[in-house]
Amino acid sequence: MRNPSLSRRAACCALFAVVLTALSGACSDAGAPSSGTSAQEFTVWDPYPQFDASSDWVKLLTKCGADAGVAVKRSGFDTTDLTTKALLAAQQGDSPDVLIVDNPVVSTLAEAGVLTTTDDTKVDTAAIEPNLLAAGQLNGKTYGVPIGANTLALYYNKKVLDAAGVDPGTITDWESLTAALAKVKAAGKKGITFSAIGTEEGSFQFLPWFWGSGAGLTQLDSPQAVAALTLWTDWLKNGYAPNSVINNTQTTSWQEFASGGYAFAENGTWQLANAKKTGFEYGIIPIPAATGGTAPAPTGGEFVTAPVRDDTARYATSARLIGCLTSSDNAYTTDTTLSYVAATDAVQAKQVAANPDLKVWVEAVEAAKGRTSDNLGTKYPKISEPLWGAFQAALSGSASPQDALRAAQASAAAATK
């Protein structure tokens, strides 16, 4: 029988070479644990380098460690750098005790044998919303707990809509949204801005329309998918959306909306603080599905995971740290700091009670879906890239929506065999 540690490290070594090639940015050695880490010192790696020792986040980590009877050694890394470092640490047998990573990365690390399951660590997931937990599941196993979630909705400029005679409450499906855009244009204003850049950021923004049509990621050229891409291309043809969306990131798209001339912007919870600085009255509505209701938007946010360790006796304390970080009281504070919607009903209700403006975001998160859900796991990036290539081709006019998606499906099928 092969040594499981050696097998895991070999798998990590192979995957690390692939990820290192695909990801930009060099790895830094700062903050990595030493080989002589004390049994009473537990390492936590997170993607929040913006928080220093004086922040509420780091104070919470310290408190959770104290409650568990250990000292926490925390290191914060850029999101991309963190993935690379996690793979390298696993290869070297020097993983942290607790690893907090962007939810689409969970399946990559799980497939490489880097992460324990919640069955291994006895982490309780009973209170977590199933659609949010699904982003950390692969082949029937769960590899962590979401610390919270963000997603997409439509911000609107009340002054622009009032001038066009549009009541945002009447926008419930694609037909009513497109009719509203037509009224806005007729009133001499600009319609909607979003990000359709040829990166994962663009796919993230297209998915609510794609899923809202009833399409699925295993069949990119379905009639429903063609309808979603036709919606976007028609908006450009009719002048309801600017050509700049082809190159827009979510940040530049937001800047267009913040200029005050647009009726709508597709963007996320993370823009709430910026929305209050725009100087105009704004509101938020869910992204509508094609025939009504809230479209499933992709979930953003991180999972708290426990990497595989040779000393499995450490898992009990890792589980206590994870439980502390994601407990109701602590999740409320953390999710407020990160502009996240909580992963449990109880904390979501507490958030809305404190800030009624979050109600629409809670509704959006309740309908949201993980990009790696449906057991796609590491197949998702191989599907997303052809998908963003398709909407780039269609929006630029180099291919029809149907032809662009047909080519995307062929590429995705070949890549995911």
Side-chain angles (χ1 to χ4, degrees), residues 363-390:
E363 291 172 357
V365 164
E366 286 174 347
K369 185 173 180 176
R371 284 164 280 175
T372 59
S373 296
D374 299 329
N375 212 41
L376 289 178
T378 54
K379 291 182 180 179
Y380 172 74
K382 299 172 184 177
I383 296 169
S384 177
E385 186 168 352
L387 182 61
W388 81 55

Side-chain angles (χ1 to χ4, degrees), residues 319-358:
R320 289 187 67 185
L321 292 174
I322 293 170
C324 179
L325 292 172
T326 58
S327 69
S328 293
D329 288 343
N330 293 333
Y332 175 78
T333 302
T334 299
D335 290 336
T336 300
T337 299
L338 298 173
S339 292
Y340 283 170
V341 170
T344 66
D345 277 340
V347 184
Q348 288 173 2
K350 189 174 179 180
Q351 288 180 304
V352 173
N355 182 2
D357 289 346
L358 289 176

Side-chain angles (χ1 to χ4, degrees), residues 21-381:
T21 301
L23 298 177
S24 59
C27 295
S28 166
D29 290 332
S34 67
S35 58
T37 298
S38 165
Q40 293 303 309
E41 184 176 76
F42 275 63
T43 50
V44 177
W45 291 2
D46 66 49
Y48 313 129
Q50 70 272 30
F51 296 137
D52 62 20
S54 67
S55 67
D56 288 342
W57 168 246
V58 177
K59 288 177 182 176
L60 173 60
L61 288 172
T62 302
K63 180 182 182 301
C64 286
D67 290 348
V70 298
V72 168
K73 181 180 179 181
R74 176 259 179 177
S75 299
F77 302 97
D78 172 77
T79 298
T80 300
D81 200 27
L82 180 58
T83 304
T84 308
K85 287 192 71 68
L87 287 165
L88 180 59
Q91 177 190 339
Q92 296 173 337
D94 204 15
S95 292
D97 292 286
V98 175
L99 176 66
I100 303 170
V101 291
D102 195 18
N103 73 67
V105 175
V106 174
S107 58
T108 298
L109 297 179
E111 191 169 278
V114 173
L115 303 179
T116 62
T117 70
T118 52
D119 287 339
D120 296 329
T121 56
K122 311 304 179 188
V123 169
D124 185 8
T125 64
I128 306 297
E129 292 296 296
N131 66 317
L132 300 183
L133 194 63
Q137 294 175 326
L138 186 67
N139 298 324
K141 296 179 180 179
T142 303
Y143 290 90
V145 180
I147 203 164
N150 57 31
T151 193
L152 297 165
L154 294 180
Y155 288 84
Y156 66 82
N157 183 324
K158 187 176 185 301
K159 183 177 180 180
V160 172
L161 292 189
D162 285 348
V166 173
D167 175 2
T170 64
I171 298 172
T172 57
D173 54 21
W174 289 1
E175 183 179 1
S176 54
L177 175 57
T178 300
L181 294 175
K183 288 183 179 180
V184 167
K185 184 186 177 186
K189 302 293 184 179
K190 298 175 183 177
I192 186 169
T193 178
F194 49 90
S195 169
I197 195 170
T199 67
E200 177 58 28
E201 211 166 344
S203 289
F204 189 80
Q205 290 242 319
F206 183 57
L207 282 173
W209 313 99
F210 182 87
W211 283 331
S213 73
L217 287 169
T218 56
Q219 193 63 46
L220 298 182
D221 59 348
S222 68
Q224 294 89 347
V226 172
L229 187 46
T230 300
L231 180 75
W232 267 19
T233 55
D234 283 353
W235 284 350
L236 261 68
K237 288 177 185 176
N238 292 321
Y240 302 157
N243 288 328
S244 59
V245 299
I246 297 173
N247 297 311
N248 268 349
T249 64
Q250 292 182 108
T251 298
T252 56
S253 171
W254 178 261
Q255 289 167 349
E256 287 181 335
F257 178 69
S259 70
Y262 283 86
F264 297 98
E266 179 184 353
N267 228 294
T269 24
W270 54 89
Q271 297 292 6
L272 274 173
N274 289 328
K276 295 172 183 177
K277 300 175 184 176
T278 59
F280 55 79
E281 190 175 354
Y282 72 93
I284 305 163
I285 59 172
I287 296 173
T291 57
T294 300
T299 54
E302 289 78 41
F303 265 62
V304 190
T305 69
V308 172
R309 304 272 304 202
D310 290 335
D311 183 2
T312 58
R314 296 175 72 91
Y315 292 164
T317 300
S318 295
R320 289 187 67 185
L321 292 174
I322 293 170
C324 179
L325 292 172
T326 58
S327 69
S328 293
D329 288 343
N330 293 333
Y332 175 78
T333 302
T334 299
D335 290 336
T336 300
T337 299
L338 298 173
S339 292
Y340 283 170
V341 170
T344 66
D345 277 340
V347 184
Q348 288 173 2
K350 189 174 179 180
Q351 288 180 304
V352 173
N355 182 2
D357 289 346
L358 289 176
K359 185 175 186 297
V360 68
W361 291 110
V362 168
E363 291 172 357
V365 164
E366 286 174 347
K369 185 173 180 176
R371 284 164 280 175
T372 59
S373 296
D374 299 329
N375 212 41
L376 289 178
T378 54
K379 291 182 180 179
Y380 172 74

